[in-house]
Amino acid sequence: MVDRRAVFVPGRGYDTHYPLFAYPGEGLRRAGFDVHEISWQPPEGIGMDGAPPAVAVDWVAGQVALTLATPTDLLVAKSLGTLAAPLAADRGLAAIWLTPLLHRPEVVAALGRASAPFLLVGGTADGAWDGAVARRLTPHVLEVPDADHGLLVPGPLARSAEVLGRVCTAVEEFVRFTWPG
């Protein structure tokens, strides 16, 4: 029986059919979530560090807000999608932020005022990640040594697949914490 709804928010070039959404999505479905996947084509310059921050945040919020007309329990977003953090904080939504843009003050500020629990997942080789900030914001953090913005690590591809497994475990543990029983 489906009794909760999760909305998946893609990144700039990482859509919701990629592994960081596909496998955790299966875990969420097994935990009783209906998963709604946003599909988008960001306008030129949106999400690039040179674009005005408010323009990018407003564009992402506009895309995500359309899906929130249906009651939603959880946002799962990657990279550009994490610009929905102010919207999640405003609405008190639990969230899973994959490779969040922690180098952007508006994301950090929104996470700092969030009232619902959230999980942060990032890698130490990602310029957008700041592990100290992540650990200050929430006890729910998965930091992957040497992982880049796609959570890929150097060496054999099997090591990156292991990281994906760790992400799935972190998501499952976060869901059990947030919705016990």
Side-chain angles (χ1 to χ4, degrees):
M1 180 174 92
V2 174
D3 57 355
R4 295 184 202 103
R5 182 173 189 254
V7 171
F8 283 12
V9 187
R12 180 167 184 75
Y14 197 100
D15 77 24
T16 58
H17 295 101
Y18 282 37
L20 288 172
F21 285 108
Y23 285 90
E26 179 59 27
L28 290 172
R29 286 180 193 90
R30 291 179 183 191
F33 282 82
D34 177 41
V35 174
H36 175 81
E37 300 174 6
I38 292 176
S39 179
W40 65 24
Q41 182 60 47
E44 191 65 34
I46 293 290
M48 310 304 273
D49 287 335
V55 171
V57 170
D58 289 348
W59 184 84
V60 170
Q63 300 298 305
V64 175
L66 295 172
T67 69
L68 299 182
T70 301
T72 300
D73 302 286
L74 176 68
L75 288 183
V76 181
K78 178 166 182 349
S79 187
L80 177 64
T82 68
L83 294 180
L87 183 64
D90 291 346
R91 296 188 182 212
L93 292 173
I96 298 170
W97 305 114
L98 305 168
T99 66
L101 303 180
L102 296 180
H103 68 296
R104 296 187 67 143
E106 65 274 27
V107 172
V108 174
L111 295 174
R113 64 182 176 79
S115 59
F118 58 91
L119 168 66
L120 297 175
V121 179
T124 61
D126 179 0
W129 177 255
D130 186 325
V133 168
R135 288 183 290 280
R136 178 176 55 79
L137 291 167
T138 180
H140 308 287
V141 175
L142 173 60
E143 181 175 71
V144 182
D146 302 320
D148 64 14
H149 196 62
L151 292 178
L152 299 173
V153 294
L157 191 54
R159 289 189 60 226
S160 293
E162 291 169 3
V163 170
L164 179 58
R166 291 179 60 200
V167 171
C168 292
T169 298
V171 167
E172 290 170 333
E173 289 173 355
F174 177 75
V175 166
R176 280 194 298 273
F177 170 83
T178 307
W179 294 277

